[in-house]
Amino acid sequence: MKITIHKGTHEIGGTCIQLSSEKTSILLDAGLPLSADSQPVDLSGLSVDALLVSHPHQDHFGLMATLPPGTPVYIGRLARSLIDAPQVFLGKDRYALDFHDFTAWQPFTIGDFTITPYLVDHSATDAYAFLIEAEGKRLFYSGDLRSHGRKGILFENLVKRPIRDIDLLFLEGTMLHRSNDQFPDETAVENTIFQTIRQQKNISFLLASSQNIDRIVSAYRACKRAGKLLVIDIYTAWVLEQLRQITQNTPAMDWPEIRVFAAYSQDKKLKANPDYFGDFRKRLYLHRVKREELHATPEAFLYFGKMSSFRLMNAFKNAAAPVNVIYSQWLGYLDGTHPDYFGSDQIAAYRSDPAVNFVYTHTSGHAPVEDLQRLATALKPRILVPVHTEHGEDFSKLFANVVTHNDGESWEL
Ligand SMILES: [Zn+2]
C-alpha cells in the first residue's frame, strides 16, 4: 500500500492523508489549514475513489469541495447536517457533493479497502476514528479524540478492548506540549459555570462554539443546578435540533429551562430558507425570550453567545453589578492575531474592564499526552506516525515504534 501524507505531519489542522492500493485510492480528511502561514493542498487534480471525513471541523473537511466533481464523500449523517447549518446561516450554498454516510462500528468497502468507523469522544459531535484494511495491512487513523468529554467511555473502550494487529497508527498529537490540567474535563467546566452564575446579580454570557455540544450540556446542567434559564440563539437552537437525529437526551429549545433569543439577522435566514427549516421557525417562537425580559431580570439568565455578541453584553453593563463573561474556548483567539474573529478585540478588552467579571473555563477537545500513551500502548502498532501536531519530532521520546514523515512524502507499507 502506498501512503502519502499531503498535509498534517508538522501542523495542527489541514490534515490530508492518501492511501492507495493496487486498484483503489482513498483520502483520509481534506482539511483546511488552521494557520494562515500554511497553504491548502491543491486537491483539484487528485483522482481518488473516495474521501473519508472523520468529523465536522473545518481543519478536517474544509477542502472537500475542491476535489474533482463527483468524488464520493463519506461522512457521518449528523456530521453532514452540522456542516450544512453554518453554511445556511452564513448565507452560503449548502455543499452539493456525492455524500455517503456510514454507521458506527459497521464495516463498509470502497474498492480494495474495508473501513470500520469507530465513534470517538471529541469536541465535535459525530466524530470518528477509522480502522482501514487492505492488501493484508491494518491501519488505524485516530482522527481527533479525547477521553475527558461526556462520551469518554468510547476512548476507554478502545483502550480496554484494543483492536489487534495494527500495522500502522496515525495518531493525533495536538496536546503534545499543551496542558489540560486547569480544567481536566467537562465536569470541571460545568462547576466553574455553576459557581459563576449561582449568585449573580447581573446576566452571564458564556462564549463557546455552538457545535461543541458537550459545552452546551455543561451550560445547561450548570443552569439547572443554579436555577437559571439558558438562553440560546436561533443558530444554536437549530444545531440542537439536528441532534434529534440520534438522541432525545441532549438539551433542545423546547426544554423548560431553555429560551431562544431571536436576533433579526438570524431570523432573516429562517425566512429565506423555508424548505430547509420546515416548521422550525413556528415552533421556535413558542420558546422565545425578548430583550425586555432579559433586562427586567438579568440575574435569571445565562446567555450562550459568541464573541460577536459584544454589543448585547455592553447593553447590560451597569454600576451596580458586573456582567459575567465566561470565556469557554481556546484562549489563543484573544491574542490579537485573529482579527477574522469579529469581536475578539472587544472580548480581549473585557479582561481589564471593571464592569465585566471575566472568567475563563475550557477543556480541550484533544487527549493529553498520558491518554495518547494509554491508547498507543493498548493498540501496539508496528509503526506509529504522528499527525495533527506541531511536535512530531518529540513523539519518539513518548511513544514506541515512531516513524516521522514530511508533508508530501510517499512510502510503501
Ligand atoms: Zn477536531
Side-chain angles (χ1 to χ4, degrees), residues 261-272:
F261 185 80
Y264 174 74
S265 58
Q266 291 186 343
D267 191 43
K268 233 171 42 181
K269 297 296 188 309
L270 302 187
K271 283 198 241 171

Side-chain angles (χ1 to χ4, degrees), residues 320-363:
V323 174
N324 293 317
V325 173
I326 308 170
Y327 186 83
S328 196
Q329 53 198 358
W330 186 49
L331 267 178
Y333 294 133
L334 298 185
D335 68 7
T337 64
H338 296 268
D340 42 325
Y341 279 86
F342 179 60
S344 59
D345 301 356
Q346 276 82 4
I347 303 302
Y350 285 158
R351 288 183 288 191
S352 52
D353 184 337
V356 171
N357 174 35
F358 186 94
V359 176
Y360 167 69
T361 183
H362 179 54
T363 196

Side-chain angles (χ1 to χ4, degrees), residues 55 57 59-60 122-124 144 366 388:
H55 65 279
H57 275 162
D59 63 320
H60 292 260
H122 182 42
S123 48
D144 288 355
H366 303 270
H388 206 273

Side-chain angles (χ1 to χ4, degrees), residues 120-257:
V120 294
D121 182 36
H122 182 42
S123 48
T125 301
D126 211 18
Y128 295 87
F130 295 115
L131 171 66
I132 298 147
E133 299 164 278
E135 298 181 329
K137 303 287 185 190
R138 287 157 66 81
L139 295 79
F140 194 72
Y141 172 51
S142 70
D144 288 355
L145 45 56
R146 63 177 175 182
S147 76
H148 57 271
R150 295 192 179 275
K151 294 189 302 296
I153 182 77
L154 298 168
F155 186 95
E156 300 309 330
N157 287 344
L158 279 176
V159 172
K160 262 189 243 152
R161 289 186 287 280
I163 305 156
R164 305 285 171 199
D165 298 320
I166 297 295
D167 293 293
L168 190 153
L169 168 64
F170 291 111
L171 184 63
E172 72 122 313
T174 311
M175 296 292 282
L176 218 69
H177 287 195
R178 294 183 189 176
S179 161
N180 197 43
D181 294 347
Q182 194 183 356
F183 302 99
D185 54 27
E186 280 296 329
T187 307
V189 172
E190 177 189 324
N191 286 337
T192 306
I193 300 169
F194 169 69
Q195 293 298 345
T196 307
I197 65 174
R198 59 192 293 217
Q199 288 175 333
Q200 64 185 18
K201 302 281 187 288
N202 199 340
I203 194 168
S204 292
F205 288 87
L206 182 78
L207 308 190
S209 163
S210 294
Q211 299 234 351
N212 187 341
I213 306 302
D214 277 14
R215 196 57 43 83
I216 300 177
V217 172
S218 296
Y220 170 80
R221 289 170 58 106
C223 280
K224 199 159 164 129
R225 285 166 65 191
K228 306 294 177 190
L229 294 167
L230 179 64
V231 181
I232 56 177
D233 63 8
I234 293 179
Y235 169 62
T236 308
W238 179 248
V239 167
L240 292 175
E241 186 88 356
Q242 304 315 302
L243 270 291
R244 287 288 170 270
Q245 293 176 23
I246 57 159
T247 175
Q248 303 298 314
N249 295 330
T250 45
M253 64 179 181
D254 56 352
W255 285 25
E257 303 86 356

